[in-house]
Amino acid sequence: MHAQRNGSRWWTKLIIVVVVVGLLAGAAELALRLIIPGVVAGAVRSQLDLTDDHPVDVALGGSALLNAFRGGVGDVTVDVPDAPLVEGVQADASLRADLVPFNPTSGEISDGSVELRLDREQLGPVIETVTQGVAQSGEVRDGELVVGRALEAFGQQVSVSARLGLQVVDGAVEITPLGLQAAGFDFSAEQLAQATGTLLDPILQPQTVCVADQLPVGVTLTDIVLSSTGSVTVRADLAPGILSDPEQQQPGVCG
């Protein structure tokens, strides 16, 4: 009988230990989920020079406690509306990584990517980049980029618009002309090319535009999506050392 009571007490103690450990683990998980998003949001605001009240939404997937044992924040998604890109241009930014170290300045992220969504009002600088400054205006229409420019040809002011297809190949933007219109005039692409020389080549001829010098070394362009809503989504992969290696943060070069 005495041995039976000791056995019962042993199992009772084991159950209590398991329950306590489970409660502690749950409390630790809850604490991490309460603390980590605020820390990440603060770091994002600091890096982007955002105000303290600028919205930054941080979501964590998986177990925060288990990822903490890996030395970082796991399956993290950061959404920043109206993030400043360049002077006068804002985009809705979303960053995702499988793992971000607690101290990003001394570690590497895993499977990092970034997505930028630009509304139609923000397309000007992007269009200027991919057309090498040739286009003065542009919009997304029926899954194509329609760009325009006013120029003088045959002694007259001509408004030219071109339909372009875009795709990303090996980090560069391939531009494919799909059609051309010259408002009020019936000029062919060949006639316009004769009148303007090489000025309109980026919208009259297939082009591959290197954008590496517009991005940090640690950022590789992967996709450009033209939406039926008129917006453009740009996607890129992030190098593991993008946050910790100063060389990865320097502007790239075009060969």
Side-chain angles (χ1 to χ4, degrees):
M1 182 68 67
H2 180 69
Q4 185 176 1
R5 286 198 301 271
N6 284 340
S8 298
R9 286 196 294 270
W10 184 84
W11 279 107
T12 301
K13 292 177 181 178
L14 178 60
I15 292 172
I16 291 174
V17 168
V18 170
V19 170
V20 169
V21 169
L23 289 173
L24 289 175
E29 176 78 17
L30 177 61
L32 287 172
R33 288 192 173 274
L34 290 174
I35 294 171
I36 289 175
V39 173
V40 173
V44 169
R45 290 190 181 98
S46 175
Q47 288 293 321
L48 297 181
D49 292 326
L50 303 176
T51 60
D52 292 340
D53 60 349
H54 194 108
V56 176
D57 182 39
V58 180
L60 305 178
S63 170
L65 186 60
L66 291 178
N67 285 313
F69 286 131
R70 295 169 62 194
V73 182
D75 194 10
V76 58
T77 301
V78 181
D79 293 313
V80 185
D82 299 326
L85 297 183
V86 295
E87 188 67 29
V89 179
Q90 296 178 331
D92 293 334
S94 180
L95 181 147
R96 191 203 166 276
D98 179 62
L99 186 71
V100 177
F102 285 126
N103 183 4
T105 61
S106 63
E108 294 187 342
I109 64 174
S110 175
D111 293 332
S113 62
V114 65
E115 181 175 292
L116 303 174
R117 180 182 175 276
L118 295 94
D119 292 331
R120 63 181 69 193
E121 296 82 6
Q122 305 287 330
L123 295 184
V126 176
I127 290 172
E128 185 175 4
T129 296
V130 299
T131 64
Q132 300 176 337
V134 171
Q136 298 168 328
S137 64
E139 63 177 322
V140 175
R141 191 188 305 161
D142 298 328
E144 300 169 353
L145 183 62
V146 180
V147 301
R149 179 185 177 93
L151 52 84
E152 187 171 327
F154 305 104
Q156 303 178 72
Q157 196 72 12
V158 180
S159 178
V160 178
S161 65
R163 295 166 34 238
L164 306 175
L166 303 180
Q167 66 174 338
V168 177
V169 178
D170 296 330
V173 181
E174 287 193 353
I175 302 176
T176 304
L178 303 174
L180 179 71
Q181 289 182 331
F185 300 91
D186 188 19
F187 296 144
S188 67
E190 291 75 15
Q191 288 174 319
L192 281 174
Q194 289 174 2
T196 60
T198 60
L199 175 64
L200 296 183
D201 276 358
I203 60 176
L204 295 179
Q205 304 291 333
Q207 301 280 328
T208 298
V209 180
C210 174
V211 295
D213 57 347
Q214 306 293 320
L215 302 171
V217 173
V219 178
T220 302
L221 188 66
T222 58
D223 198 13
I224 296 178
V225 179
L226 305 178
S227 171
S228 59
T229 64
S231 65
V232 175
T233 299
V234 179
R235 300 187 178 115
D237 287 339
L238 303 177
I242 184 65
L243 300 179
S244 58
D245 184 355
E247 292 186 3
Q248 295 291 315
Q249 301 168 13
Q250 296 302 310
V253 294
C254 290

